[in-house]
Amino acid sequence: MEKSRVIFGNEMKASVYRKAVKSKKKYQKKFGDDSRVDYQIIIKENPHIGPSLGVRNVELGEQSGGETFDTEKGIIVGNIRMGFGHYRISMAIASAAKSMGYVPYWMDLNSFPQTTCTKVISAQNDLYSLGSRISQKSRLFNRLVWEPMNYEGFRKLSYNASDQKNAELMAPVYRHVPKEIPVVATHVWPAQAAIHAGMRHVVNAIPDNWPMALHLSEGSLHTVQTHYAYQGYRILNGMRGKEVLKPMGEKDLVYTGHYIDHELVSNIEVDCERRRARKAAGEPMRFLLTIGGAGAQRETFAQIIRYLLPAIRKVRAALYVNVGDYRNVWEQLLEQIPEMKELSTEHFDNWPQTQEFAETVLTGKVEGIHGFWHANIFQAVYCTNLLMRSCDVLVTKPSELAFYPVPKLFIKRVGGHEQWGAIHSAELGEGTLECRDIPHTLQMLKLFLEDADYLNSMCDAIVRNKQAGIYDGAYKVVELAMGLKEL
């Protein structure tokens, strides 16, 4: 049965199917139809995270006598660049795969500009980024448009029907990928495209804690990070209003735990013990501010920096600020807060220096403000992962970072679905409640600075969670993907 007509046994209305077909035709008219183009594959070493994560890039192009896929140990990590979250989850999967002796191949469907696939993804990514930026500037737009779309619009089965049709346009890039190599997709489109292309072993690693039909890719094995998400996806809860739907099959969905890098999971105990020791010794408390996308919530981070400046001058606090690949965000912060400059050390576009700093501060001292910017997207994203081990508190919106094993202060979400990441983290004891305004954010900062038990209890929870297997999701996803070959 065509995947836009029936979704897990639930038949779509004729009007929903017509809308899905119309959506596909719109993109075909705008970007062309390359379904008969014979895209060749090149495999290259990833020069940025390849040495750390063993990643090989899958690129389009013709090359004779080049590297071929390892069909025994190879695993495709299918992703798109849409903000930083899906890249970060992909890095976690690649890290786990490497630690388990497999070869991770990085396949970004948003990196082939000559293809209809990338043009369709880029167009939708641009719209999402625009909406995200507007939502931060307009409370009315956020309340009437953005929150409802992220919370309920993406939740509907009808949305998945259109996505499935559009994903048919993305399948050609998989044409020369060996069909027996497992695919782990960290966004639904690479999973849907892989299924349409005839890939035999596909795992769809769902990122969020709020069940949405947006993330469904029927034909793949779906994995989730929480039991709450499992319950919601299993019964397709609320995905067609109040209607009770036919559920997903038990073999279509698996709870795995959080998708976390091997380097972070394997060092949880030592990193948490160092946090406790620094607090007991009265060392500056290290806050990591990570600003993703196009600098969403920059104003909130500016308020946080202003609040912490006195503590930084008194050597009671220290800051890491990663602005990703958006140098303009750093420049804007300096314009807003000129007094930052004299306290700041810039680690800009020098990856060896960033790696050395991250390694040194694991056991060394830190003072002042340290700003990080890298033009390369891989370095921009992975910089946060490197700094996470030596920070005391990660300050972030409750996105994919809500699941990481580090004490967290959650600022206001971008999109209603993100609030459920903060709720999950708070219930596990390793993150704060979502601070939806500046006064509550500053209150949390004060608690972290003045109350040692606040930090220590989160460290204790993280260690307990590791013992319970909460952070083993990336390993389990890889196991499941490779295990599909045996079925």
Side-chain angles (χ1 to χ4, degrees), residues 274-275 278-279 281-287 311-320 364-368 390-393 449 455:
R274 285 169 178 163
R275 292 182 183 110
R278 285 193 295 266
K279 191 66 176 175
E283 293 187 25
M285 192 163 216
R286 305 170 181 187
F287 293 91
I312 294 170
R313 291 193 183 98
K314 294 176 182 177
V315 200
R316 293 182 55 239
L319 271 183
Y320 305 152
K365 305 287 186 181
V366 177
E367 295 182 7
S390 69
C391 81
D392 294 316
V393 180
L449 285 169
L455 175 75

Side-chain angles (χ1 to χ4, degrees), residues 127-424:
L127 280 175
Y128 189 87
S129 296
L130 177 62
S132 179
R133 290 194 298 273
I134 294 175
S135 74
Q136 296 303 296
K137 298 176 181 178
S138 170
R139 291 184 180 179
L140 189 64
F141 176 84
N142 187 60
R143 180 167 61 86
L144 297 180
V145 179
W146 196 242
E147 283 269 344
M149 174 58 71
N150 276 272
Y151 202 58
E152 292 294 344
F154 295 153
R155 190 183 185 190
K156 299 181 184 303
L157 277 187
S158 56
Y159 191 94
N160 183 256
S162 290
D163 256 11
Q164 282 283 10
K165 263 298 170 193
N166 295 336
E168 292 174 7
L169 298 172
M170 305 174 191
V173 298
Y174 281 101
R175 179 161 288 135
H176 286 285
V177 177
K179 298 300 179 277
E180 67 270 26
I181 290 186
V183 175
V184 173
T186 61
H187 186 283
V188 70
W189 295 335
Q192 291 171 345
I195 294 296
H196 287 303
M199 299 300 294
R200 300 185 191 121
H201 315 300
V202 182
V203 173
N204 176 28
I206 295 175
D208 293 320
N209 194 29
W210 175 242
M212 297 187 286
L214 162 70
H215 293 303
L216 297 175
S217 175
E218 190 166 4
S220 62
L221 174 63
H222 298 68
T223 63
V224 290
Q225 300 184 87
T226 73
H227 293 291
Y228 177 88
Y230 181 90
Q231 294 283 349
Y233 277 106
R234 185 68 194 277
I235 65 171
L236 304 178
N237 188 45
M239 294 186 187
R240 196 148 66 188
K242 295 182 179 180
E243 182 180 347
V244 176
L245 298 171
K246 294 179 181 178
M248 296 177 69
E250 62 177 313
K251 294 183 179 179
D252 294 317
L253 183 67
V254 177
Y255 161 79
T256 61
H258 301 183
Y259 314 134
I260 308 296
D261 310 59
H262 169 71
E263 293 75 19
L264 293 170
V265 176
S266 61
N267 286 291
I268 280 176
E269 290 87 354
V270 65
D271 291 342
C272 282
E273 183 53 41
R274 285 169 178 163
R275 292 182 183 110
R276 296 188 194 95
R278 285 193 295 266
K279 191 66 176 175
E283 293 187 25
M285 192 163 216
R286 305 170 181 187
F287 293 91
L288 168 56
L289 278 56
T290 176
I291 307 176
Q297 301 181 307
R298 177 172 51 83
E299 292 298 326
T300 300
F301 283 110
Q303 294 275 13
I304 291 170
I305 293 169
R306 286 194 186 97
Y307 178 83
L308 288 175
L309 280 176
I312 294 170
R313 291 193 183 98
K314 294 176 182 177
V315 200
R316 293 182 55 239
L319 271 183
Y320 305 152
V321 183
N322 181 21
V323 296
D325 55 351
Y326 291 92
R327 182 169 181 167
N328 64 297
V329 173
W330 177 258
E331 301 299 338
Q332 290 164 359
L333 285 171
L334 290 180
E335 287 179 12
Q336 286 182 265
I337 316 169
E339 55 268 41
M340 269 182 65
K341 185 124 182 113
E342 64 179 359
L343 297 169
S344 296
T345 302
E346 295 178 350
H347 306 265
F348 281 7
D349 220 22
N350 188 330
W351 190 237
Q353 182 193 76
T354 296
Q355 290 177 300
E356 182 181 2
F357 175 87
E359 182 65 28
T360 300
V361 296
L362 286 173
T363 54
K365 305 287 186 181
V366 177
E367 295 182 7
I369 301 173
H370 295 264
F372 298 86
W373 164 76
H374 296 88
N376 177 267
I377 178 62
F378 293 101
Q379 296 168 355
V381 175
Y382 201 59
C383 176
T384 292
N385 293 45
L386 292 179
L387 297 172
M388 213 181 293
R389 287 194 56 201
S390 69
C391 81
D392 294 316
V393 180
L394 171 65
V395 182
T396 179
K397 66 188 183 74
S399 56
E400 85 288 348
L401 287 168
F403 299 92
Y404 276 71
V406 57
K408 292 171 290 289
L409 192 167
F410 292 118
I411 61 174
K412 190 176 187 299
R413 63 184 182 264
V414 178
H417 61 292
E418 290 186 343
Q419 66 180 302
W420 295 92
I423 291 170
H424 174 70

Side-chain angles (χ1 to χ4, degrees), residues 10-28:
N10 297 283
E11 189 170 349
M12 298 294 101
K13 293 180 179 179
S15 59
V16 169
Y17 179 72
R18 286 195 301 269
K19 184 178 179 180
V21 172
K22 184 178 179 180
S23 177
K24 178 183 176 180
K25 287 181 177 178
K26 179 189 72 173
Y27 284 121
Q28 282 178 310

